[in-house]
Amino acid sequence: MTERATPTTAPDGAHDEAHEGALGTRLNWLRAAVLGANDGIVSTAGLVVGVAGATADREALLTAGLAGLMAGSMSMAAGEYVSVSTQRDSERAALAQERRELRERPEAELAELTGLLERRGLTPEVAREAAVQLSERDALRAHARVELGIDPDHLTDPWHAAWASFLAFTAGALLPLLAIVLPPSGWRVPVTVASVLLALTCTGWTSARLGAAAPGRAVLRNVAGGALAMAVTYAVGSLLGATGA
């Protein structure tokens, strides 16, 4: 069997590996939640500010904001469900193939596992002994973690991903929606712009820190993108409002 992508989980120290894997999963979910909230903030802010450029009617703003919130959150949830379902199907297919190969050619699979462990710095003798012990304990789990980088006990869940994206986008979208409908007419756009830029500063900083990157540039990009989106949609809305379109 040809070697697959180099795994990222450690072959030994199962206890430490479980904690590292769980931590990595939590960080990935947290990062996805922050980015989903960021999408909700920017897209809804652009929508309601654009409508505010055309009309000061509170009902029109609320209707547009709610429609954008629901459309965006449902789109995010559906897209995440499809994406993660595809990933889960791939993981299941890879495990099924590995299970079949372990049944049909156990010695070849043991040799393959030994070679993978050697490439991680173990001596041939130690790698062989480790491969034998791992295979005796649970050959499928050993190959899944070392060869495929998959934890067979914790496959990705598309429903969890869908709900997380839905809730994150909704939470982000509520900020500009409330900011545009609650203040008096003359304060709606300034309050919305200020609150959105502050929120984008927070999400940009958080996403950068979760990715172990410098926050300065990430915050600047995030704020600049949101400001540009609101400026463009407000200009378009003002133009359409002035022409009566």
Side-chain angles (χ1 to χ4, degrees):
M1 174 181 176
T2 58
E3 181 185 344
R4 300 182 183 132
T6 302
T8 58
T9 50
D12 51 0
H15 182 73
D16 293 337
E17 175 185 297
H19 283 287
E20 291 172 4
L23 177 60
T25 299
R26 286 196 297 270
L27 288 177
N28 285 337
W29 280 112
L30 184 56
R31 188 178 299 113
V34 171
L35 294 177
N38 195 80
D39 288 343
I41 294 169
V42 175
S43 60
T44 307
L47 176 62
V48 297
V49 168
V51 175
T55 178
D57 183 70
R58 191 187 302 270
E59 291 185 0
L61 293 172
L62 180 59
T63 300
L66 286 175
L69 184 154
M70 290 306 301
S73 59
M74 293 300 295
S75 175
M76 288 283 290
E80 196 70 14
Y81 179 83
V82 171
S83 174
V84 176
S85 292
T86 301
Q87 179 183 345
R88 186 183 180 95
D89 290 343
S90 298
E91 290 173 345
R92 285 175 169 172
L95 289 174
Q97 179 181 349
E98 198 64 46
R99 190 179 292 107
R100 182 173 61 254
E101 291 173 347
L102 285 168
R103 184 175 61 251
E104 295 174 353
R105 33 180 286 180
E107 288 301 321
E109 289 298 293
L110 179 61
E112 181 182 30
L113 182 59
T114 301
L116 289 171
L117 295 176
E118 285 185 43
R119 291 184 181 91
R120 297 190 169 198
L122 299 182
T123 64
E125 296 76 13
V126 174
R128 177 71 180 186
E129 179 62 25
V132 169
Q133 291 188 21
L134 288 171
S135 298
E136 288 177 349
R137 178 178 297 179
D138 192 325
L140 179 61
R141 180 174 284 102
H143 279 267
R145 289 179 172 176
V146 176
E147 185 179 352
L148 305 176
I150 297 174
D151 185 348
D153 297 326
H154 298 90
L155 298 182
T156 51
D157 190 329
W159 284 109
H160 286 173
W163 276 111
S165 295
F166 179 90
L167 294 174
F169 187 96
T170 300
L174 283 173
L175 173 68
L177 176 58
L178 295 175
I180 203 70
V181 299
L182 293 181
S185 178
W187 287 92
R188 288 173 186 166
V189 173
V191 168
T192 301
V193 171
S195 60
V196 165
L197 295 183
L198 178 60
L200 292 178
T201 299
C202 295
T203 57
W205 185 89
T206 303
S207 62
R209 298 306 299 170
L210 289 173
R217 290 185 179 180
V219 169
L220 180 60
R221 287 194 298 264
N222 214 33
V223 171
L228 179 61
M230 289 186 289
V232 170
T233 55
Y234 184 79
V236 171
S238 298
L239 179 61
L240 293 176
T243 59

